[in-house]
Amino acid sequence: KQWYQRRVAITAGETDNFSYVVIRYGGLIDGQKVHLKSIPGGFNLRVTDDDEVDGRGRRGDWATFIIHKNDFDGTVRFQNVAKPDRFLAIRKKNFTTGNGGKYCAFRAREHKDSSVSLESNCYMGRRMGLSDDKESDIDGNNRFRIIPKRE
């Protein structure tokens, strides 16, 4: 299994009165616009005017990201919609933004609760996250739900 692949899981079962099928779908889709909601805080990531990252986003363009998948190495990049030249990045010990280069590549890991951890491809063990005061942090709450943007 590679990183958080698109997949369909089908579960079938029976009760006394009827049969049922449950279909679950999960995945990061190339080109999809999404919000990244932190777990457990429920804060949306956003890019600020000064090209930094925090958890004070709502549902607008500052908190919306376009997914760019690299099928060759299994990484993913998140491009900001409001500032198309800025991508989420981890540089050394900072969770910030970059121009789309090597510091902006992440490996996604799905967890049983359908949340995702996004680990830097350059700095293994460092994951994008938020501190309790909604500031960017590589040691904070580092699980997110991928929420598709409603057009």
Side-chain angles (χ1 to χ4, degrees):
K1 174 175 154 180
Q2 275 187 341
W3 68 282
Y4 198 55
Q5 296 176 3
R6 185 182 338 166
R7 66 185 179 280
V8 176
I10 300 176
T11 305
E14 292 182 8
T15 67
D16 292 338
N17 299 323
F18 62 92
S19 298
Y20 64 91
V21 175
V22 176
I23 300 175
R24 287 180 41 221
Y25 173 79
L28 295 171
I29 300 169
D30 190 47
Q32 183 179 28
K33 291 181 181 180
V34 297
H35 301 287
L36 297 171
K37 180 175 272 195
S38 72
I39 305 296
F43 313 126
N44 279 352
L45 282 184
R46 72 167 179 175
V47 173
T48 63
D49 283 334
D50 58 351
D51 296 335
E52 294 301 322
V53 178
D54 68 23
R56 294 179 177 86
R58 303 237 180 200
R59 295 270 183 182
D61 287 347
W62 294 94
T64 304
F65 299 90
I66 300 170
I67 296 172
H68 295 278
K69 284 179 27 179
N70 182 339
D71 290 328
F72 177 73
D73 66 2
T75 59
V76 63
R77 288 174 169 77
F78 294 90
Q79 178 185 21
N80 187 256
V81 170
K83 292 185 121 180
D85 61 327
R86 305 314 297 169
F87 291 75
L88 296 178
I90 290 181
R91 292 187 187 160
K92 297 185 181 177
K93 294 186 178 183
N94 296 319
F95 174 34
T96 183
T97 64
N99 61 6
K102 67 180 183 177
Y103 300 116
C104 301
F106 293 91
R107 294 199 175 276
R109 179 174 171 233
E110 181 183 7
H111 300 280
K112 289 181 182 180
D113 65 355
S114 299
S115 65
V116 177
S117 294
L118 297 160
E119 181 179 22
S120 171
N121 197 45
C122 288
Y123 300 106
M124 295 301 169
R126 296 185 184 164
R127 294 173 183 84
M128 67 167 75
L130 293 172
S131 64
D132 292 335
D133 61 352
K134 301 182 184 179
E135 296 301 322
S136 62
D137 189 1
I138 59 171
D139 297 321
N141 299 322
N142 59 21
R143 288 190 182 186
F144 294 91
R145 291 217 192 282
I146 308 297
I147 311 292
K149 180 171 174 70
R150 295 181 189 158
E151 296 295 333

